[in-house]
Amino acid sequence: MEGKHSERQPIGMTAQIQDEGKDYREPPPAPLFERGELTSWSFYRAGIAEFMATFLFLYITVLTVMGVVKSNTKCSMVGIQGIAWAFGGMIFALVYCTARISG
């Protein structure tokens, strides 16, 4: 079944290069880095939030693993399931806390 509009070229990058027959204009690609970003407080706030979240994640999870490895019996500590809960819980908490700050 043929549609109302015939397709002259495949959809993709080649279709975006030519402008013939379009009733709209493609926006230019966004730059990867802008100088104005370095002067904004939100850029530094996001960097601080990412640093603190990574630090807390590594601190808590590595201490949990060290505690399990150092214990005499695996049953006296949290064990493998506790390590999994520590990793998952930290990811959940830190994403919840920093999602609006760092995006």
Side-chain angles (χ1 to χ4, degrees):
M1 180 174 169
E2 187 137 343
K4 186 165 92 171
H5 302 288
S6 65
E7 189 172 334
R8 293 185 296 244
Q9 57 186 342
I11 297 175
M13 292 306 292
T14 57
Q16 294 177 3
I17 294 171
Q18 297 176 353
D19 283 333
E20 59 187 57
K22 286 187 177 180
D23 59 348
Y24 63 93
R25 186 154 174 80
E26 297 273 344
L32 183 65
F33 178 74
E34 294 180 10
R35 286 182 183 229
E37 257 184 304
L38 294 176
T39 60
S40 68
W41 166 243
S42 61
F43 176 73
Y44 293 105
R45 185 178 68 170
I48 293 167
E50 288 289 333
F51 174 78
M52 291 301 295
T54 303
F55 175 76
L56 287 173
F57 174 73
L58 291 175
Y59 186 76
I60 298 297
T61 55
V62 168
L63 284 179
T64 305
V65 172
M66 287 172 54
V68 170
V69 170
K70 198 169 184 151
S71 68
N72 295 333
T73 62
K74 300 300 181 213
C75 296
S76 66
M77 295 300 283
V78 294
I80 300 296
Q81 189 175 9
I83 293 172
W85 276 100
F87 273 79
M90 285 305 294
I91 289 172
F92 171 77
L94 294 173
V95 166
Y96 184 79
C97 291
T98 61
R100 295 196 62 190
I101 298 171
S102 62

